[in-house]
């Protein structure tokens, strides 16, 4: 059905445009690869998630959309920091038996354990950013324990309207199951670890010996690493600076601005009465002059090149 609006836009001389709202993660290995004229993606990593030739006329790397510098500090969390406590945000994912059911339960059991541990309970505060309210409701035994800890002032369940990037901006560390939220945390420059007992994906976090540094397969190892980080014995925990440029080579949080600049160029072309092909050609030229030739591609060659470089064992 998605062909129909794209075809309609072509018939009236307009452009069908798609922007990557959330960065995909590995076990999905797909993007919304719909036929359109212009496809805006975050960066090199996003291109590896297109397993077949792009159906867009042009693919433009613009940087991430859901991150920025506009987040105001959360007064409640700032008050917690003034008590010399470290704030850890916790990101879950929509639960299902295939990828996340056991992982989410194990994640929250770990959080509860650290909240109650005598070594850390007075030095840690957990900011629980659940993706959907029904996730915790589907785990009533854990939800009841978390709500009890919340009454004790050891954690808080974030408002559902709080974004992952906003939560990360207030945090000293993020613990996440494999999810798009973990990428947003990395691009907010917050140390991020992925709890992945089911080996579900996010292979980019394993690069450069990331296992047991920013990816953990079991709760005891993760809890021990957090304890050592808390004791200042593990400063490299969650350090993702080396993989951030692969996710978003700009790392300046201005993805929305670049998309706006590109589309503004297109709108001016329409106003000047130019043909669609000429409009896209001019917008591409302007973008490349400012941001680099590798940021715009009209076929699948660049995606294949990136995939071979970073995933040499893939077919």
């Amino acid at each position: 059905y998605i062909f129909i609006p794209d075809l309609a836009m072509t018939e009236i001389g307009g452009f069908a445009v798609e922007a990557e709202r959330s960065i995909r993660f590995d076990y999905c290995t797909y993007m919304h690869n719909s036929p359109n004229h212009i496809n805006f993606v975050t960066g090199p990593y996003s291109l590896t998630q297109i397993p077949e030739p792009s159906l867009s006329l042009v693919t433009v790397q613009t940087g991430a959309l859901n991150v920025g510098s506009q987040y105001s500090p959360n007064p409640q969390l700032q008050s917690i920091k003034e008590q010399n406590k470290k704030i850890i945000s916790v990101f879950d994912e929509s639960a299902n038996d295939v990828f996340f059911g056991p992982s989410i339960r194990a994640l929250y059991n770990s959080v509860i354990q650290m909240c109650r541990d005598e070594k850390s309970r007075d030095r840690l505060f957990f900011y629980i950013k659940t993706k959907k309210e029904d996730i915790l409701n589907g785990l009533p035994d854990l939800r009841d324990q978390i709500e009890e800890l919340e009454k004790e002032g050891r954690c808080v369940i974030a408002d559902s309207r709080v974004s992952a990037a906003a939560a990360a901006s207030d945090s000293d560390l993020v613990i996440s199951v494999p999810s798009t939220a973990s990428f947003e945390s990395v691009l907010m420059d917050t140390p991020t670890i992925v709890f992945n007992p089911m080996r579900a994906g996010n292979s980019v976090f394993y690069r450069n010996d990331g296992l047991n540094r920013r990816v953990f397969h079991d709760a005891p190892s993760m809890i021990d690493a957090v304890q050592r980080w808390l004791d200042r014995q593990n400063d490299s925990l969650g350090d993702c600076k080396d993989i951030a440029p692969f996710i978003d080579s700009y790392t300046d949080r201005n993805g929305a601005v670049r998309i706006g600049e590109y589309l503004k160029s297109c709108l001016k072309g329409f106003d000047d009465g130019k043909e669609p092909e000429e409009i896209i050609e001019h917008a591409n030229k302007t973008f490349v002059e400012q941001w680099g030739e590798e940021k715009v591609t009209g076929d699948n060659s660049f995606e294949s090149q990136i995939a071979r470089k970073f995933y040499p064992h893939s077919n």
Side-chain angles (χ1 to χ4, degrees):
Y1 69 90
I2 202 164
F3 286 85
I4 297 174
D6 292 348
L7 179 61
M9 291 300 296
T10 302
E11 288 294 318
I12 66 174
F15 292 152
V17 179
E18 181 175 80
E20 181 183 53
R21 180 181 62 84
S22 296
I23 305 167
R24 304 287 163 181
F25 44 107
D26 297 335
Y27 79 81
C28 292
T29 61
Y30 75 95
M31 280 185 52
H32 289 160
N33 189 16
S34 58
N36 53 44
H37 297 87
I38 305 164
N39 187 20
F40 297 114
V41 301
T42 301
Y45 171 81
S46 297
L47 296 177
T48 67
Q49 303 308 294
I50 306 177
E52 68 278 341
S54 174
L55 299 180
S56 304
L57 290 181
V58 59
T59 300
V60 184
Q61 297 179 59
T62 57
L65 280 179
N66 291 346
V67 298
S69 56
Q70 74 275 21
Y71 304 111
S72 300
N74 181 312
Q76 180 184 15
L77 298 184
Q78 291 303 305
S79 175
I80 295 296
K81 286 187 175 183
E82 291 172 1
Q83 301 173 30
N84 293 321
K85 292 185 178 182
K86 295 291 187 180
I87 295 175
I88 300 180
S89 277
V90 180
F91 299 160
D92 60 22
E93 183 54 86
S94 297
N96 61 67
D97 292 337
V98 178
F99 294 114
F100 292 120
S103 295
I104 291 175
R105 176 170 285 278
L107 173 68
Y108 281 125
N109 272 321
S110 300
V111 169
I112 291 168
Q113 180 178 337
M114 284 186 280
C115 279
R116 291 175 173 165
D117 193 299
E118 292 184 2
K119 296 180 181 179
S120 59
R121 65 183 182 184
D122 293 326
R123 296 191 290 165
L124 288 178
F125 185 88
F126 288 89
Y127 191 53
I128 297 172
K129 167 65 183 123
T130 183
K131 184 171 184 177
K132 296 181 179 179
E133 293 180 1
D134 62 359
I135 294 175
L136 278 176
N137 290 337
L139 301 167
D141 56 325
L142 299 181
R143 181 201 60 207
D144 291 346
Q145 294 181 68
I146 289 170
E147 288 178 349
E148 186 62 34
L149 291 168
E150 187 174 17
K151 293 176 183 177
E152 296 175 11
R154 304 192 185 281
C155 66
V156 66
I157 300 174
D159 187 288
S160 60
R161 294 168 293 182
V162 174
S163 70
S169 70
D170 281 313
S171 303
D172 298 293
L173 179 71
V174 164
I175 301 176
S176 175
V177 294
S179 70
T180 59
S182 61
F183 289 118
E184 293 180 23
S185 174
V186 169
L187 298 182
M188 290 301 294
D189 299 324
T190 303
T192 303
I193 62 178
V194 175
F195 181 55
N196 193 21
M198 298 186 72
R199 309 341 187 236
N202 279 23
S203 66
V204 65
F205 286 85
Y206 288 87
R207 295 182 67 206
N208 301 333
D209 298 319
L211 183 62
N212 294 327
R213 183 164 61 92
R214 56 186 173 221
V215 179
F216 292 87
H217 290 167
D218 62 84
S221 296
M222 181 182 71
I223 292 172
D224 178 67
V226 172
Q227 293 282 8
R228 288 187 289 109
W229 166 78
L230 191 60
D231 292 333
R232 298 183 179 179
Q233 298 174 0
N234 188 10
D235 292 338
S236 67
L237 182 68
D239 185 352
C240 296
K241 291 183 177 64
D242 59 316
I243 63 172
F246 180 43
I247 300 168
D248 177 352
S249 57
Y250 300 96
T251 60
D252 61 4
R253 307 176 189 174
N254 286 326
V257 174
R258 275 181 285 271
I259 290 176
E261 290 172 346
Y262 189 101
L263 293 178
K264 183 178 180 180
S265 176
C266 292
L267 291 172
K268 186 178 185 304
F270 282 118
D271 290 340
D272 293 343
K274 296 179 179 179
E275 292 297 317
E277 293 81 1
E278 186 181 3
I279 292 171
I280 288 182
E281 182 178 354
H282 181 265
N284 288 347
K285 180 181 178 182
T286 302
F287 198 90
V288 164
E289 286 175 351
Q290 185 170 5
W291 302 111
E293 186 174 358
E294 75 281 0
K295 296 298 194 297
V296 178
T297 181
D299 56 38
N300 192 45
S301 59
F302 184 67
E303 289 92 321
S304 298
Q305 175 185 337
I306 289 291
R308 286 195 299 270
K309 180 178 180 181
F310 289 99
Y311 297 94
H313 302 299
S314 62
N315 295 323

